[in-house]
Structures are given as structure tokens and as C-alpha cells.
């Protein structure tokens, strides 16, 4: 096991009706907030009205900025930064999914600097200050509600890039599973896929003797496999949603990464797909993961066998471990399909004509290999995308 430090400062407020606590909770941190949200679901569901009522009751002033799109754009981040500076905003409150939260985190960093926040996404410098961010989560998926990450797309150049910083851990996140009842089936499936991906990125590691976190990861994967079909069958199944929402939060807040080194190549490859084709992140991952697995399988067949047996209940073939591992990948694909997701680029409606461009961008012209389990250069990424085609 590797050395690690573990501190997740995000307070989680979980359960029915908890969004009505937002005003009182914000009041512990700020008097004026930027209220940030997406394309309309929070208005249609009445959530935004409940949030503004709670803010008003607590005497919190707010400036609204809606319109965050999935794969959130830099131009709206710039607008948010301007509003924060203009109005003396003290906290950015995100009401929505990963896209809204990531946009809020970018705004929070941008509000404390005089240069373009995109510099951080290009790896030029790191943030040293940020406004506090708080969230009300409406979709279990990205895990941004208690992660250090933010992923933004710059429209010119179709460039989707991430920043990780402890400064943007939300100060609190409100998780009410009831808020997910209105999710379209496709978004439910994409969310479940993203949660599975966050677990698998951590599971496939070269670090040995990490049996405790192996077991935690396996239990969390099994939870998603058992509960996601239930919320698809019945969108108002509170208890199933509660399991998915809590598992999704834990999946990405780094508890399950303690003492391990995760891989993250599949995420890097997927960000090139959603950066260019604007597909849902989870839908892109459903295509990348099976191909990445088939490409890297031989690196550590035993780890794939353990995963296939423990997570997918594949019977161990002692004479042919590789066949056992491949059955695990097939069961995973069958699970994604049962959720309604495509497992090939063509199924996703993505052409194969920009594979070389994606591989080049992903590895910065073959100068920055991606992945830790197996380090992948430009040719490897192109080969994986071709396998996925
Ligand atoms: O915009 P609205 O109208 O709200 O609609 C959204 C959006 O169209 C809709 N939606 C959300 N909650 C809803 C709802 N519709 C009805 N009822 C509800 N309760 O769902 C659509 C997708 O929302 P989005 O926020 O994009 O989804 P998700 O949470 O999957 O976020 C995806 C983004 O997160 C990034 C991804 O790359 C992608 O850009 N990620 C962020 C990470 C992080 N910060 O740590 C890690 C992840 O690996 C991921 O990369
Ligand atoms: Zn993800």
C-alpha cells in the first residue's frame, strides 16, 4: 500500500427534503451567493423556487446564472467570474449535476484571479485561492459534489480539460435522492456508468496488498449493478436512489483511492470524445472501457480475474484465467446494454474519422502518456479507439 493523506472536508447533508436547509447552511459561510444552474430541469421541477425561498428566509442575497450545458463551456464560466467580481459574491452555489458543479468550481477559482482561469486547465500554474463552493446535487454521476475535480470545455479547439485542487472541495453538498426522480432514463444510465467508471479507474492499479480498498470498490460496484436497474424500472424508488446517490458520492471522493494509484486513461480518452462530439460523459465511458480492458488485459490477467469473479460472479476457469477475465468484460458490456447504453463508437453515433486527432490531443502529441496501470502513448490510444469503433 502507498502512503496517503485523507481529508474530505465536504459536509454531506443527505435525505428527503434537505434542500430546504440550504439557506441556513449557506449563512454559515456567506451573505451573497452566485446561484448557478443548468438548462431548465431545476425550474421545471420546482427545485429552484424552494432554493430561493430558503435563501430568502435566511437573508442570503443571490445573483442567478443559469444555462450551464452538459460538458460545461468556458464562455459561461467567464460570465460567472464577471458576475462574482461585479456583485461581490462570497460563495458559488451549484444546483444541478456534474456540469453545473464543475462550472461553479471554475467560476470560484476565476473570481479570485486577474488572469483567465483556463490557464489552470492548460496546466499553467495552480490555483492558490477560490471562493467557497456548495452544491445541491440533482443527478448521481460525476461525483463532483465531493471531489477536487472540475472539467471544462473550451469551445475553440473542442478542448475538454480538468483541474484538480483541494481548494474546490465543496464546503457542503446536499444530496436528496428525491431530486433524481425526474431524471430521463438515458441520464440515469450515463450516471450509473460514470460511477462504475470511477470505481474501475481506481480498481485497476499496480499497487499490491490493497485488499481492503479492493473489497470496498467491489462492494460499491455491486451496489450500482444491483440498484441502477431498480431506479430505471421505477424512477420513484427512493431507497434504490439513496443507494445509488450515496455510492456515487463515495465512488469519487477518494476514500476508495486511499493507498492506491488509479489508472484514469479511460477518462482521458473519453474527454477527447465528449470534447469533440458533445456526447454525455457516461455514454462515452461505456464505449471506451470495454476496449481499454481488452487492450490492457494481458498486463495483469489476475487482477481482471479477481474483478470478473468477485464483481460479475464469473465462475473461475483455473485452466484458462484469460477466458474468465474476458467473460467479466462481456458481462459488463451486457450490463451497459441492459441500461440502454451503446458499447461501440458507431453505436454512440460517433464516426471514426478523427481517431488520430483524439489520440494526438489526448497524449499531447505523444509527449504525455496517459494511464498508470498501463502507460499509453498516442499509438495505444488510437488502437483502443479503433477497438471501440
Ligand atoms: O441542464 P438541465 O436542464 O439541468 O439538465 C441536465 C442535463 O441535461 C439533466 N438533469 C440533471 N439533473 C436532472 C436532470 N434532468 C431532470 N431531472 C434532474 N434531476 O441531466 C443532463 C446531464 O447533466 P450533467 O450535469 O451534464 O451530468 P453529469 O452529472 O453526468 O455531469 C457530467 C459532467 O461532469 C464531468 C463530465 O466530464 C461531464 O462534463 N465530470 C466531472 C468530474 C468531477 N468534477 O470530479 C468527474 C467525472 O469523471 C466527469 O469527468
Ligand atoms: Zn467520470
Amino acid at each position: 500500500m502507498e502512503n496517503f493523506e485523507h481529508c474530505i472536508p465536504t459536509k454531506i447533508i443527505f435525505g428527503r427534503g434537505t434542500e430546504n436547509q440550504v439557506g441556513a447552511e449557506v449563512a454559515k459561510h456567506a451573505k451573497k451567493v452566485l446561484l448557478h444552474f443548468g438548462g431548465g430541469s431545476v425550474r421545471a421541477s420546482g427545485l429552484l423556487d424552494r432554493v430561493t425561498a430558503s435563501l430568502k428566509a435566511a437573508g442570503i442575497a443571490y445573483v442567478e446564472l443559469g444555462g450551464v450545458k452538459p460538458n460545461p463551456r468556458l464562455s459561461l464560466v467567464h460570465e460567472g467570474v464577471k458576475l462574482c467580481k461585479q456583485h461581490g459574491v462570497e460563495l458559488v452555489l451549484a444546483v444541478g449535476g456534474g456540469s453545473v458543479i464543475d462550472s461553479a468550481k471554475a467560476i470560484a477559482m476565476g473570481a479570485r484571479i486577474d488572469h483567465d482561469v483556463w490557464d489552470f486547465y492548460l496546466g499553467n500554474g495552480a490555483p492558490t485561492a477560490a471562493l467557497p463552493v456548495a452544491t445541491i446535487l440533482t443527478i448521481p454521476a460525476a461525483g463532483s459534489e465531493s471531489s477536487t475535480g472540475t472539467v471544462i470545455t473550451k469551445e475553440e479547439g473542442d478542448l475538454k480539460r480538468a483541474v484538480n485542487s483541494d481548494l474546490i472541495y465543496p464546503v457542503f453538498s446536499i444530496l436528496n435522492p428525491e431530486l433524481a426522480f425526474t431524471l430521463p432514463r438515458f441520464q440515469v444510465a450515463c450516471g450509473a456508468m460514470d460511477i462504475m467508471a470511477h470505481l474501475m479507474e481506481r480498481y485497476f492499479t499496480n499497487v499490491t496488498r490493497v485488499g481492503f480498498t479492493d473489497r470496498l470498490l467491489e462492494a460499491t460496484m455491486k451496489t450500482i449493478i444491483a440498484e441502477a436497474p431498480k431506479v430505471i424500472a421505477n424512477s420513484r424508488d427512493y431507497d434504490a436512489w439513496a443507494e445509488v446517490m450515496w455510492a456515487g458520492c463515495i465512488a469519487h471522493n477518494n476514500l476508495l483511492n486511499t493507498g492506491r494509484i488509479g489508472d484514469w486513461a479511460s477518462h482521458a480518452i473519453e474527454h477527447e470524445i465528449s470534447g469533440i462530439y458533445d456526447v454525455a460523459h457516461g455514454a462515452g465511458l461505456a464505449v471506451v472501457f470495454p476496449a481499454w480492458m481488452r487492450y490492457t488485459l494481458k498486463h495483469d490477467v489476475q487482477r481482471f480475474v479477481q474483478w470478473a469473479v468477485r464483481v460479475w460472479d464469473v465462475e473461475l476457469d483455473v485452466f484458462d484465467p484469460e477466458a474468465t477475465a474476458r467473460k467479466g468484460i462481456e458481462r459488463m458490456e451486457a450490463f451497459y446494454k441492459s441500461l440502454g447504453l451503446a458499447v461501440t463508437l458507431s453505436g454512440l453515433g460517433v464516426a471514426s474519422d478523427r481517431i488520430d486527432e483524439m489520440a494526438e490531443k489526448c497524449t499531447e502529441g505523444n509527449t504525455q502518456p496517459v494511464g498508470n496501470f498501463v502507460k499509453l502513448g498516442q499509438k495505444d490510444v488510437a488502437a483502443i479507439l479503433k477497438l471501440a469503433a
Side-chain angles (χ1 to χ4, degrees), residues 40-48 50 179 182:
S41 75
V42 294
R43 275 192 206 283
S45 67
L47 174 59
L48 200 64
R50 297 201 293 286
L179 301 181
T182 53

Side-chain angles (χ1 to χ4, degrees), residues 38-42 68-72 96-100 102 105 138-139 141-144 147-151 160 179-184 187 191 194 198 252 264 267 270-271 274 281:
S41 75
V42 294
V68 180
K69 292 185 179 147
N71 300 316
S99 295
V100 176
D102 285 4
K105 288 173 171 178
T138 62
I139 168 172
S144 189
S147 85
T148 55
T150 155
V151 191
K160 187 173 182 181
L179 301 181
F181 289 179
T182 53
L183 276 167
Q187 290 299 338
D194 196 15
H198 296 158
H252 199 44
W264 299 104
H267 264 72
E270 193 296 312
H271 286 165
S274 51
H281 171 60

Side-chain angles (χ1 to χ4, degrees), residues 72-362:
R73 311 299 202 274
L74 182 63
S75 53
L76 194 73
V77 169
H78 287 154
E79 230 177 281
V81 168
K82 215 159 122 192
L83 282 174
C84 286
K85 290 181 176 172
Q86 199 178 325
H87 293 276
V89 162
E90 296 164 352
L91 179 147
V92 187
L93 176 61
V95 184
S99 295
V100 176
I101 300 172
D102 285 4
S103 182
K105 288 173 171 178
I107 292 169
M109 294 188 294
R112 298 296 301 271
I113 51 174
D114 293 325
H115 58 91
D116 189 350
V117 72
W118 185 248
D119 292 343
F120 298 143
Y121 291 82
L122 291 177
N124 300 329
T128 55
L131 292 178
V133 174
T135 87
I136 299 177
L137 183 68
T138 62
I139 168 172
S144 189
E145 66 274 14
S146 71
S147 85
T148 55
T150 155
V151 191
I152 297 293
T153 298
K154 183 176 182 174
E155 294 91 329
E156 307 87 63
D158 300 328
L159 217 51
K160 187 173 182 181
R161 289 291 176 267
V163 168
N164 279 284
S165 166
D166 285 353
L167 293 168
I168 51 174
Y169 266 123
V171 287
F172 70 84
S173 282
I174 290 178
L175 276 62
N176 173 2
E178 291 169 318
L179 301 181
F181 289 179
T182 53
L183 276 167
R185 186 195 156 119
F186 174 67
Q187 290 299 338
V188 177
C190 290
M193 174 60 227
D194 196 15
I195 296 168
M196 288 295 287
H198 296 158
L199 298 162
M200 293 188 294
E201 296 279 22
R202 290 171 168 91
Y203 195 81
F204 290 95
T205 182
N206 296 319
V207 181
T208 56
R209 301 293 302 274
V210 283
F212 171 58
T213 41
D214 271 358
R215 292 292 190 183
L216 292 177
L217 286 159
E218 290 155 7
T220 318
M221 284 186 248
K222 278 197 147 309
T223 300
I224 298 301
I225 294 163
E227 303 296 334
K230 293 184 196 164
V231 300
I232 284 182
N234 173 9
S235 65
R236 301 184 70 81
D237 184 339
Y238 178 88
D239 290 311
W241 269 124
E243 298 268 27
V244 172
M245 197 172 253
W246 186 221
C249 180
I250 294 294
H252 199 44
N253 76 1
N254 274 339
L255 166 69
L256 304 189
N257 206 45
T258 44
R260 317 169 67 92
I261 297 170
D263 183 67
W264 299 104
S266 300
H267 264 72
I269 298 170
E270 193 296 312
H271 286 165
E272 297 307 330
I273 300 174
S274 51
I276 293 179
Y277 297 98
D278 201 18
V279 298
H281 171 60
L285 287 167
V287 167
V288 174
F289 249 100
W292 175 84
M293 287 182 159
R294 291 195 169 100
Y295 194 77
T296 60
L297 175 62
K298 288 203 164 68
H299 171 70
D300 184 354
V301 173
Q302 198 44 48
R303 179 138 285 270
F304 279 95
V305 168
Q306 178 181 299
W307 168 81
V309 170
R310 291 188 187 169
V311 177
W312 298 102
D313 301 322
V314 176
E315 198 176 328
L316 174 64
D317 182 344
V318 284
F319 301 108
D320 194 351
E322 201 177 308
T324 308
R326 287 190 188 281
K327 270 194 193 137
I329 300 171
E330 282 159 24
R331 285 197 189 172
M332 179 186 74
E333 280 180 322
F335 175 65
Y336 297 161
K337 285 185 193 163
S338 76
L339 297 180
L341 294 170
V343 294
T344 57
L345 281 178
S346 58
L348 189 60
V350 165
S352 307
D353 55 340
R354 291 176 78 177
I355 283 180
D356 291 333
E357 177 192 341
M358 287 192 270
E360 200 267 332
K361 279 162 90 177
C362 185

